[in-house]
Amino acid sequence: MGIKEREMLDVLIVGAGPTGLALAVDLVRRGVEARVAEKAQGLFPGSRGKGLQPRTLEVFHDLGVLDEVLAAGGPAPVGMVWDDGVRQGEHDMFAGETVESTPAEPYAGRPCMLPQWRTQEILLARLRELGGDVAFGREVSGLAQDADGVRATFEDGSTIRARYAVAADGGRSTVRRLLGIGMTGEELDPAPTLVADVRIPELDRDNWHFFPASPDGLLALCPLPGTADFQLMAPFKEGTPDISPDGVRKLIAARTHLPAEAVTEVRWSSDFRPRAALADRFRVGRVFLAGDAAHVHSPAGGQGLNTSVQDAYNLGWKLGGVLSGRAPEALLDTYEEERRPVAAEMLGLSTRVHRGEQSRGRATQQLGLGYRESSLSVGVAGALRAGDRAPDGVVDGVRLFDLFRGPHFTLLAVGVELPDVEGEDLRTARISAYEAYGEGCFLIRPDGYVGWADSAPPAFEAIRTKFGC
């Protein structure tokens, strides 16, 4: 699918990684005319961001891809430590830290392992099902904006004009550079780490295999569910890794008991230097940064892809509301207000996990994140404050996540009278008192957070214009 100059597109998304695809799915299901431009000729081919946290699974439930994700993925395996070809015993990095699922948090538990390329395939299939698509081989080289919109120029000289644009083009974002936005952060390791997807038929797939005994450093092989592949990760103490197939085979032979010929295929390989950095701004005029373009994480703790998908989930409903005319343009100011502090918090968490200063646990599952300090969050009722994540549960035969699922707001009366209100973008429901909520009236935002809470339902009419519902 090509992108051609036209009078005005709603949203141009630059980058077809998990962030850009999730945002496109969310926008297209709202009737927004969004287009995705990706400079590569196809989707990213590697497993890189393989761990999906429970909060991201909740997002995928709403976007309509959870069943496919769970069918293709699987729980993080227990580790096995090796020394000179002898199993030394299991090492479970999640032992004693995993939060068990509850009706309010149905996907809490071990992260779901799914290679990034497969996550992207699932999101792209959903986007196409909704009528959207990606234009591959389209690299942005210039950007200009005025009071009415943004004009992007591509390498071939063609242009496109959109009311808004979103940079989801990764840690080396071209759009961020064109906007002149700096990144503040640090290298976490001066030496690189090699990552690759390999096939080793003689190695069992029951464990995440760790080989720590080599004087050259650790090597880990994680079986990737739904594939015959392992993800290899190997930090280096110095030098530049040889990421060629022969180099990867020699590395495995040097750091494990496996011979080079045990590796029957090297499907993808790369290297990186672990870094933690945060963009100085998440927005310039009509252009927004999301995902790795806005924040770059160490892979430790599995926060990067998950934080990125939730950037998209926060921005999607706000763009949709403003573009529809139901919400004031000031709503878009809350994207940076809400997401930049969360990204900073997750960067600190992943950095502490990387340095061994904090273990994985509830914090890495991202279920406790919220927006209590946001200017958009108003009120308190029962067990919740505005800005809190809206819990799931089955009450009076109704599953709350199914009630919330879709691009609408939900006005939920819990153990109190339901206000007599209507709205094109508003669904209403009443349930009995429920411990996770207590009693009160709650406006659930389209991204699954409480926007407004009150024990006096009639007060709702005074707040709804703020959200555009």
Side-chain angles (χ1 to χ4, degrees), residues 310 339 342 345-346 363 366-371 387-389 449:
Q310 290 167 65
R339 290 307 300 170
V342 168
E345 183 179 347
M346 293 300 96
Q366 301 198 354
L367 293 167
L369 294 176
Y371 307 116
D388 289 348
R389 167 191 164 275
Y449 289 90

Side-chain angles (χ1 to χ4, degrees), residues 347-395:
L347 278 170
L349 172 62
S350 58
T351 298
R352 291 191 298 274
V353 173
H354 180 96
R355 291 173 171 161
E357 298 169 355
Q358 181 170 340
S359 60
R360 297 167 179 82
R362 180 170 176 81
T364 58
Q365 301 205 6
Q366 301 198 354
L367 293 167
L369 294 176
Y371 307 116
R372 285 187 173 187
E373 305 306 316
S374 170
S375 62
L376 203 58
S377 300
V378 181
V380 59
L384 298 175
R385 285 177 55 185
D388 289 348
R389 167 191 164 275
D392 194 14
V394 178
V395 186

Side-chain angles (χ1 to χ4, degrees), residues 298-371:
S298 160
Q303 300 303 295
L305 182 150
N306 295 277
T307 303
S308 299
V309 166
Q310 290 167 65
D311 288 345
Y313 198 46
N314 182 285
L315 183 58
W317 70 271
K318 295 174 181 178
L319 281 170
V322 171
L323 286 163
S324 71
R326 289 192 293 269
E329 192 160 347
L331 181 64
L332 296 175
D333 294 334
T334 67
Y335 170 68
E336 179 173 309
E337 177 192 354
E338 293 185 340
R339 290 307 300 170
R340 194 168 184 275
V342 168
E345 183 179 347
M346 293 300 96
L347 278 170
L349 172 62
S350 58
T351 298
R352 291 191 298 274
V353 173
H354 180 96
R355 291 173 171 161
E357 298 169 355
Q358 181 170 340
S359 60
R360 297 167 179 82
R362 180 170 176 81
T364 58
Q365 301 205 6
Q366 301 198 354
L367 293 167
L369 294 176
Y371 307 116

Side-chain angles (χ1 to χ4, degrees), residues 219-277:
L219 186 145
L221 290 165
C222 179
L224 298 169
T227 76
D229 302 342
F230 288 87
Q231 185 196 63
L232 178 156
M233 290 196 73
F236 280 68
K237 297 177 180 178
E238 58 184 14
T240 301
D242 180 354
I243 64 172
S244 69
D246 283 346
V248 172
R249 288 185 171 91
K250 289 176 181 177
L251 173 65
I252 290 174
R255 296 196 187 185
T256 78
H257 64 278
L258 298 164
E261 57 269 22
V263 182
T264 60
E265 191 173 351
V266 178
R267 298 176 59 78
W268 167 81
S269 60
S270 183
D271 64 332
F272 67 95
R273 282 174 169 78
R275 184 168 177 250

